Amino acid sequence: MAGARRAAVLGSPVAHSLSPVLHGAAYEALGLRGWTYERLECTAEQLPALVGALDAAWVGCSVTMPGKKAALAVATTASARARRLGVANTLVRTDAGWVADCTDVDGVAGALLGAGIPQPAPLAAGLRDVVLLGAGATASAAVGALYEVGNEDVQLVVRDPDRARETAAVVDAYGMRGLVRTFDEVAAVDTSRAKALVNTTPAGAVDEALAARLVDGLPADAVVLDAVYHPWPTPLAAAAARRGLAVATGLDMLLHQAFGQVEQFTGRSAPRRAMHRALVRATGFDVRPP
């Protein structure tokens, strides 16, 4: 693709987004002169009009909260996983219109695999499940990722059971088994067979007592993935460190989801090492290399 091209991340608030760091590094490494990537403040209600006004120079949009449902609705067509999840974080321009996808699935799966999540055990050894905290768009994407890495059972732990309905529906759509409990029922959550504990709730939602209760019962080979990376360490990460468990973060998720976006926007293989180096430089965080 020759000439100037534009892309952006849409969300509110969006000033903190690290996506420009990743995409900018990718375009530079790929030699795509004239390509730019910016941040656009945009609510879910504003997204349809904003996307509709983008001219032909725009190749794609990354979409963060709160616009992931709106991104799916505004698309002309969508990937199977975006339709199944009911959300999209990626919009790609084609001659036929905007195509929606959800590379958040790749983000969660890549973070878990990079941290060494145990692969599916033989059936004779018994099924192992995952404990998933939260019930928003990221939680739904996490369900898709958990399915892709071989999970069959999910225990959803949520603050508001009414909000869990959409995520529980995604569990059903993948043919997985799900159990919903509230934070008040955490004493009944069994983590002894869980190969991963995944947190998609906002910073501060999981305190030290809750973190200890969930992490202390995990098997020695389990992985903890906390989508929160600031402030660090989170209570979950600290509890996992005390147990010597592998920990993945929201930055690992961000890196892996960006690979697919870059490839869909540019039609080229993502320069993974260059993107990883840029993220480490920008954050000072020890992000796992891809």
Side-chain angles (χ1 to χ4, degrees):
M1 296 171 111
R5 294 290 187 269
R6 302 179 70 181
V9 55
L10 315 182
S12 183
V14 79
H16 67 287
S17 174
L18 291 165
S19 290
V21 171
L22 292 165
H23 285 257
Y27 302 162
E28 181 179 359
L30 292 172
L32 297 175
R33 295 183 178 86
W35 282 57
T36 61
Y37 188 99
E38 56 197 279
R39 301 177 182 91
L40 296 179
E41 188 75 16
C42 176
T43 66
E45 293 74 20
Q46 294 168 333
L47 188 143
L50 189 155
V51 171
L54 299 179
D55 62 30
W58 288 82
V59 295
C61 297
S62 310
V63 182
T64 187
M65 298 303 293
K68 295 184 179 183
K69 288 185 179 181
L72 181 62
V74 80
T76 306
T77 59
S79 66
R81 63 183 179 181
R83 292 194 302 269
R84 181 177 281 179
L85 296 170
V87 293
N89 76 325
T90 306
L91 289 171
V92 183
R93 182 186 291 281
T94 68
D95 292 340
W98 293 98
V99 177
D101 189 25
C102 189
T103 67
D104 283 334
V105 173
D106 305 325
V108 176
L112 289 171
L113 292 171
I117 185 173
Q119 294 303 293
L123 290 178
L127 296 175
R128 302 183 70 194
D129 62 11
V130 168
V131 177
L132 174 59
L133 310 182
T138 303
S140 293
V143 171
L146 294 170
Y147 177 83
E148 290 192 0
V149 299
N151 185 66
E152 297 186 43
D153 290 2
V154 179
Q155 293 185 72
L156 297 175
V157 184
V158 299
R159 292 175 292 178
D160 179 0
D162 288 338
R163 289 199 63 206
R165 291 174 183 169
E166 291 183 359
T167 305
V170 173
V171 172
D172 290 341
Y174 276 97
M176 300 161 70
R177 288 181 290 272
L179 177 66
V180 179
R181 298 193 186 279
T182 68
F183 276 29
D184 293 335
E185 300 170 321
V186 70
V189 177
D190 179 15
T191 63
S192 65
R193 296 167 64 245
K195 61 183 177 182
L197 170 64
V198 179
N199 177 40
T200 67
T201 63
V206 178
D207 61 19
E208 292 182 3
L210 178 58
R213 166 66 186 83
L214 292 169
V215 171
D216 287 352
L218 288 170
D221 61 347
V223 170
V224 174
L225 169 57
D226 198 335
V228 178
Y229 56 85
H230 182 76
W232 190 262
T234 64
L236 277 175
R242 288 194 296 270
R243 288 276 324 276
L245 303 180
V247 179
T249 77
L251 290 177
D252 295 296
M253 292 167 51
L254 180 68
L255 177 64
H256 284 273
Q257 66 81 29
F259 296 151
Q261 288 187 338
V262 166
E263 291 174 353
Q264 292 186 54
F265 291 177
T266 68
R268 309 266 294 275
S269 296
R272 297 187 172 211
R273 292 183 179 178
M275 294 169 70
H276 172 259
R277 288 194 298 268
L279 186 60
V280 171
R281 284 196 302 267
T283 63
F285 206 93
D286 187 20
V287 184
R288 281 188 177 83

